[in-house]
Amino acid sequence: MENIKSGSKLLIDSLLRQNVEMIFGYPGGAVLPLYDALYDGEIPHILTRHEQGAVHAAEGYAKATGKPGVVVVTSGPGATNAVTGIANAMSDSVPLIVFTGQVTTNGIGKDAFQEADMVGITMPITKNNYQVRDSSELPRIIDEAFHIATTGRKGPVVIDLPKDMQIIESGSDNPPELVLPSYQPTVYPNKLQVKKLMDELSDAKKPLVIVGAGVVQANASKELTAFIEKYQLPVLSTLLGLGAIPSNHELFLGMGGMHGSFAANMALTDCDLLINIGSRFDDRLASAPQEFAPNAVVAHIDIDPAEIGKIIETKIPIVADAKETLKEMLAVDIAEDADTWTDWRKINLSRKKLHPFKYDKEQKEEIKPQKVIEYIGKLTDGEAIVATDVGQHQMWTAQFYPFKNEKQLITSGGLGTMGYGIPAAIGAQLGCRDKEVVLFVGDGGFQMTNQEMAILNDYNLPIKIVLLNNQSLGMVRQWQECFFNQRRSESVFASQPDFLKLAEAYGIKAVRISNPETVEAELEKAFKENGPILIEVCVSQTEHVLPMVPAGKPNYQMLGVD
């Protein structure tokens, strides 16, 4: 006789079949039947303190592990509080399954208590979404959702779950075989297109490789490194591509774009062949598309066909997985050897040496945030999982932390979400218990989601929270100082809480560092703490992130270069 199970039990069984390690969430009336089923503890549940925190924590988990994050929130405000995180995951191609509670099916469309149209709200910010109308469909829907979220260009899938669908009992047969004829992402590259690309490389005088999040998502660092070393090609990365190749690699020119390196941006300007692997040419990289890589034949490798040609005209489009494409590129030999582009390589490496990321190391009056990040890079040997919030500290981290590995940087790229840092670091540490996790956060973003610090001791998470306090919304202030006649409209805080007492209220050790002469010794001491610690560093209140390409300007028009 067929087993009869409630929708909630069917849901949990489906998650177990998907090897889900944990669920991030926050309960409420519309998901009480599901939370009652979770009480049995078959899957651990992480109780965050806000629904936005739950989604960002799931994102941090997903980015650090490569596995999909799973979230459960209640209906109405619970679900709408999750929207920012869902949009963030869509921008950065993060695989998530988000269950949003919903009123009972007979109340849908009648403005019932805590009802919100989550299918309509999330349609533009998800890969797909569902509303469950038959509890027996849950196993099929969940299997489809995981498949869609974790294949092709990864992303979030929302499953809207009416309360009665969690209660109604039905058969528990395993779901049918996946049949999604309209969803068939291309994984393997067209070999003729790869041959065209390699022929162009053979003819090029100034070839350049740019890597984005697609390389990280595909676990393709090994193949990428083998390819650039085979032909000794200069390479740069986007923000989300950092770690795909070690920062100290001799061929790495740094990050490109708005706050990228001089060497990277000038290489983009001068190259005659640009091989883009897994980057979408967003406006922080290509602020002036009409003047971007003006001399280059552009080859674009991306698993999402919608991205190819969207921003930059592409001569050689390759729709495929980055790892599989790099394997195919490595299998094609061209006549050139490592000496072919010696002069081009020398030009790029000399620019890298002459114009590195820099700051005033001589002054003793104030703590430079760049120095803090650089020194923490040494303390952690460049091996820590590094989470950031959004703002100046995020860009300084990208510039000065010595990344070595893919899936090492946990940050909000496309949406630029303040408040992302603390919960994302928590998710990363929960997913990678054996690794050191460091969070760089500003005083603005810290005040958006600091309630999630309650989780640190609950789950024994020894995260080092480095709060770079410049008493302002630093990036907003920088733009106002550069482009709005120094009119600092609402970007400087008139007052702030005592961040040390705030941490202590959550039972977390805290220190404040304000002496420029002892900053290294104090950081070293703080990093020896075994448990979580808040390290507030009082940094310069006037520092700018440089170089900087003003919005709408071509990459070679950088401010702040000698």
Side-chain angles (χ1 to χ4, degrees):
M1 184 176 175
E2 185 179 54
N3 289 329
I4 301 298
K5 297 181 180 180
S6 70
S8 295
K9 181 57 178 167
L10 286 174
L11 187 155
I12 290 171
D13 286 351
S14 297
L15 296 184
L16 287 168
R17 193 169 58 252
Q18 293 289 345
N19 299 312
V20 170
E21 296 176 329
M22 65 190 75
I23 296 170
F24 300 86
Y26 202 98
V31 286
L32 282 178
L34 176 55
Y35 270 86
D36 186 62
L38 286 170
Y39 186 82
D40 294 329
E42 291 179 276
I43 302 176
H45 179 277
I46 310 299
L47 176 62
T48 60
R49 299 304 188 261
H50 190 282
E51 291 88 357
Q52 181 178 348
V55 186
H56 291 330
E59 287 184 89
Y61 168 87
K63 281 199 171 192
T65 65
K67 303 170 185 176
V70 178
V71 180
V72 176
V73 295
T74 194
S75 65
T80 57
N81 279 345
V83 165
T84 297
I86 296 168
N88 192 84
M90 188 67 176
S91 290
D92 286 356
S93 307
V94 181
L96 294 185
I97 312 297
V98 182
F99 294 92
T100 57
Q102 186 53 275
V103 302
T104 56
T105 50
N106 62 7
I108 292 173
K110 299 176 182 175
D111 296 326
F113 178 65
Q114 291 191 331
E115 180 188 2
D117 177 10
M118 294 311 297
V119 171
I121 289 171
T122 63
M123 192 171 289
I125 55 169
T126 53
K127 278 193 76 176
N128 199 25
N129 59 23
Y130 300 84
Q131 186 174 79
V132 181
R133 289 299 186 119
D134 180 345
S135 63
S136 67
E137 290 280 280
L138 268 165
R140 176 190 63 81
I141 288 171
I142 290 170
D143 276 16
E144 284 186 12
F146 272 85
H147 178 68
I148 291 167
T150 59
T151 56
R153 180 177 178 175
K154 299 173 184 180
V157 176
V158 163
I159 300 175
D160 199 42
L161 189 61
K163 188 172 184 177
D164 51 327
M165 291 298 105
Q166 302 163 49
I167 301 168
I168 293 171
E169 294 182 333
S170 59
S172 60
D173 290 337
N174 284 332
E177 185 178 344
L178 279 171
V179 180
L180 295 169
S182 63
Y183 178 73
Q184 300 291 332
T186 303
V187 175
Y188 298 100
N190 181 300
K191 292 188 177 184
L192 288 175
Q193 290 297 91
V194 173
K195 179 68 165 58
K196 282 183 186 178
L197 169 54
M198 298 307 289
D199 287 344
E200 285 287 351
L201 178 59
S202 181
D203 294 337
K205 299 292 187 287
K206 299 178 180 180
L208 180 67
V209 176
I210 180 167
V211 297
V215 174
V216 176
Q217 293 269 9
N219 301 311
S221 288
K222 180 181 175 183
E223 291 78 8
L224 169 70
T225 304
F227 178 72
I228 66 163
E229 288 181 349
K230 180 176 180 179
Y231 297 109
Q232 291 292 292
L233 300 174
V235 58
L236 62 102
S237 87
T238 64
L239 172 66
L240 297 185
L242 287 169
I245 186 166
S247 298
N248 63 356
H249 196 288
E250 62 176 358
L251 293 169
F252 184 61
L253 304 180
M255 181 176 70
M258 180 170 284
H259 293 294
S261 70
F262 177 82
N265 282 333
M266 292 309 296
L268 282 169
T269 303
D270 293 344
C271 67
D272 66 359
L273 172 64
L274 181 60
I275 304 173
N276 175 0
I277 311 175
S279 158
R280 58 189 177 86
F281 287 128
D282 79 295
D283 59 298
R284 282 300 188 263
L285 176 70
S287 185
Q290 69 281 2
E291 296 183 67
F292 181 78
N295 308 309
V297 169
V298 175
H300 190 173
I301 300 159
D302 204 297
I303 203 160
D304 184 357
E307 292 298 340
I308 294 179
K310 186 173 84 173
I311 308 294
I312 302 297
E313 185 177 344
T314 300
K315 180 177 180 180
I316 306 173
I318 300 177
V319 178
D321 174 82
K323 189 184 192 82
E324 296 301 330
T325 306
L326 280 161
K327 284 180 181 177
E328 194 66 34
M329 290 160 68
L330 283 163
V332 179
D333 286 315
I334 59 176
E336 275 61 22
D337 58 31
D339 296 327
T340 304
W341 300 291
T342 300
D343 290 342
W344 167 238
R345 192 163 53 250
K346 283 181 178 177
I347 289 169
N348 284 294
L349 297 183
S350 68
R351 286 170 173 166
K352 179 181 175 181
K353 187 175 181 179
L354 286 170
H355 301 286
F357 291 124
K358 67 183 192 306
Y359 59 95
D360 185 355
K361 298 183 179 183
E362 302 303 320
Q363 67 83 39
K364 306 292 184 184
E365 292 75 38
E366 57 188 5
I367 297 174
K368 294 291 185 180
Q370 303 95 321
K371 178 179 181 177
V372 174
I373 294 164
E374 194 172 54
Y375 189 67
I376 290 172
K378 293 177 182 176
L379 287 176
T380 58
D381 194 30
E383 294 283 359
I385 290 178
V386 176
T388 82
D389 209 272
V390 169
Q392 286 182 314
H393 68 277
Q394 178 190 32
M395 293 297 103
W396 284 318
T397 301
Q399 292 177 344
F400 288 96
Y401 191 87
F403 295 99
K404 292 182 178 180
N405 307 303
E406 58 191 7
K407 295 186 175 62
Q408 189 179 356
L409 175 61
I410 313 297
T411 196
S412 169
L415 200 64
T417 304
M418 289 179 67
Y420 175 86
I422 295 174
I426 286 167
Q429 185 74 85
L430 283 163
C432 303
R433 289 283 194 167
D434 59 334
K435 294 184 180 178
E436 183 172 21
V437 175
V438 177
L439 166 65
F440 293 106
V441 61
D443 43 304
F446 182 87
Q447 294 184 76
M448 291 190 172
T449 52
N450 61 66
Q451 69 273 7
E452 303 304 337
M453 288 195 300
I455 296 174
L456 297 176
N457 284 325
D458 286 354
Y459 298 99
N460 300 312
L461 306 178
I463 298 169
K464 306 296 185 288
I465 302 173
V466 183
L467 169 57
L468 296 171
N469 188 354
N470 59 11
Q471 299 183 1
S472 65
L473 300 174
M475 192 61 87
V476 177
R477 194 203 72 238
Q478 175 172 332
W479 278 60
Q480 289 172 340
E481 289 168 351
C482 289
F483 308 117
F484 292 89
N485 298 317
Q486 299 191 23
R487 289 157 60 90
R488 301 175 188 88
S489 177
E490 303 302 321
S491 59
V492 178
F493 292 114
S495 63
Q496 288 185 324
D498 185 326
F499 292 114
L500 270 60
K501 289 181 178 177
L502 188 59
E504 289 164 3
Y506 287 109
I508 297 167
K509 289 184 180 178
V511 296
R512 179 177 291 122
I513 301 174
S514 58
N515 185 346
E517 295 184 4
T518 61
V519 60
E520 291 185 359
E522 291 185 75
L523 283 170
E524 191 170 350
K525 181 181 178 183
F527 266 71
K528 288 179 180 176
E529 288 289 339
N530 291 322
I533 184 169
L534 174 69
I535 307 164
E536 181 187 1
V537 187
C538 302
V539 298
S540 166
Q541 297 179 28
T542 57
E543 198 76 6
H544 282 195
V545 181
L546 297 171
M548 180 183 186
V549 179
K553 298 294 184 182
N555 290 69
Y556 63 86
Q557 291 188 15
M558 288 166 275
L559 304 176
V561 178
D562 291 339

